[in-house]
């Protein structure tokens, strides 16, 4: 496989493509670092099987975003899938109760336009890691696990019972 041009901001880095590259171990280490940081701030509880959840339980999906920092460090971020939330009316209604409030691209652009028009300086528009460091949600929310979560969990907690994609955290 040809090495993608990582200097191009438009490149959409996908895990299945990154796995084929010689520097895949660096990307895997970046995923582990992200999941470790969420564990360290207490974001994840003990995984439970989906069948044990209440019928109205809120299960959020996540997506992985990959980038190369200016210092050439590989960065993996695991974030809520905002498109999935916005397409699901029940989840959209609970947006204010999740770990990090979401803002649509239109809302963010409007915010930037108004601030620019009023000649305001914007401080802290990038909350760095608001998903992990925000106050806990009002209600119980679960995160669907993906193969990365499962592999990380088994490596991090080898003495605990095994989990699968039918679990949530």
């Amino acid at each position: 496989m040809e090495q993608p041009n990582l200097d191009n901001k438009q490149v959409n880095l996908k895990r299945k493509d990154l796995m084929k590259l010689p520097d895949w171990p660096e990307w895997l280490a970046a995923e582990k670092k992200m999941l470790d940081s969420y564990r360290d701030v207490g974001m994840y509880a003990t995984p439970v099987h989906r069948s044990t959840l209440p019928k109205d339980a809120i299960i959020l999906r996540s997506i992985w975003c990959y980038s190369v920092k200016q210092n050439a460090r590989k960065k993996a971020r695991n974030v809520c899938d905002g498109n999935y939330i916005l397409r699901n009316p029940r989840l959209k209604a609970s947006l204010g109760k999740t770990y990090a409030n979401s803002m649509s691209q239109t809302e963010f652009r409007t915010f930037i336009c108004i601030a620019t028009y009023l000649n305001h300086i914007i401080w802290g528009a990038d909350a760095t890691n608001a998903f992990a460091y925000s106050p806990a949600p009002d209600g119980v929310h679960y995160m669907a696990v993906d193969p990365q979560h499962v592999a990380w969990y088994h490596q991090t907690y080898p003495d605990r019972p095994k989990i699968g994609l039918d679990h949530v955290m």
Side-chain angles (χ1 to χ4, degrees):
M1 180 181 152
E2 181 180 325
Q3 180 87 6
N5 176 5
L6 299 179
D7 294 331
N8 183 348
K9 302 274 189 225
Q10 302 304 314
V11 172
N12 188 7
L13 303 174
K14 301 246 185 247
R15 189 174 203 263
K16 65 180 180 156
D17 297 330
L18 294 173
M19 290 173 75
K20 299 173 187 173
L21 298 175
D23 60 355
W24 168 241
E26 293 177 57
W27 291 105
L28 194 59
E31 288 179 355
K32 182 182 181 318
K33 184 177 180 180
M34 176 89 278
L35 293 171
D36 285 347
S37 74
Y38 285 159
R39 178 206 56 217
D40 293 346
V41 297
M43 194 175 108
Y44 293 139
T46 302
V48 295
H49 196 276
R50 286 177 184 250
S51 64
T52 65
L53 298 178
K55 185 179 177 183
D56 61 346
I58 296 175
I59 301 173
L60 303 172
R61 290 192 329 198
S62 66
I63 58 172
W64 284 91
C65 304
Y66 302 92
S67 62
V68 178
K69 303 305 255 179
Q70 289 182 343
N71 63 1
R73 182 174 58 89
K74 310 292 192 279
K75 177 75 175 173
R77 295 196 104 170
N78 187 240
V79 298
C80 279
D81 182 352
N83 288 330
Y84 172 70
I85 293 170
L86 294 175
R87 288 191 313 265
N88 184 320
R90 190 171 64 84
L91 294 179
K92 189 175 180 181
S94 73
L95 261 179
K97 298 178 183 177
T98 60
Y99 275 97
N101 291 327
S102 300
M103 181 182 278
S104 72
Q105 185 176 20
T106 304
E107 291 167 333
F108 186 69
R109 286 184 172 174
T110 302
F111 165 71
I112 297 295
C113 288
I114 292 170
T116 303
Y117 176 77
L118 296 173
N119 202 27
H120 287 283
I121 297 172
I122 300 170
W123 295 98
D126 177 11
T128 307
N129 201 354
F131 188 58
Y133 295 104
S134 293
D138 295 341
V140 177
H141 292 72
Y142 300 91
M143 179 68 75
V145 298
D146 59 21
Q148 296 95 304
H149 287 95
V150 172
W152 169 82
Y153 185 81
H154 293 162
Q155 179 185 13
T156 305
Y157 305 108
D159 298 332
R160 292 188 184 175
K162 300 296 183 200
I163 66 168
L165 297 177
D166 53 356
H167 284 72
V168 296
M169 295 176 121

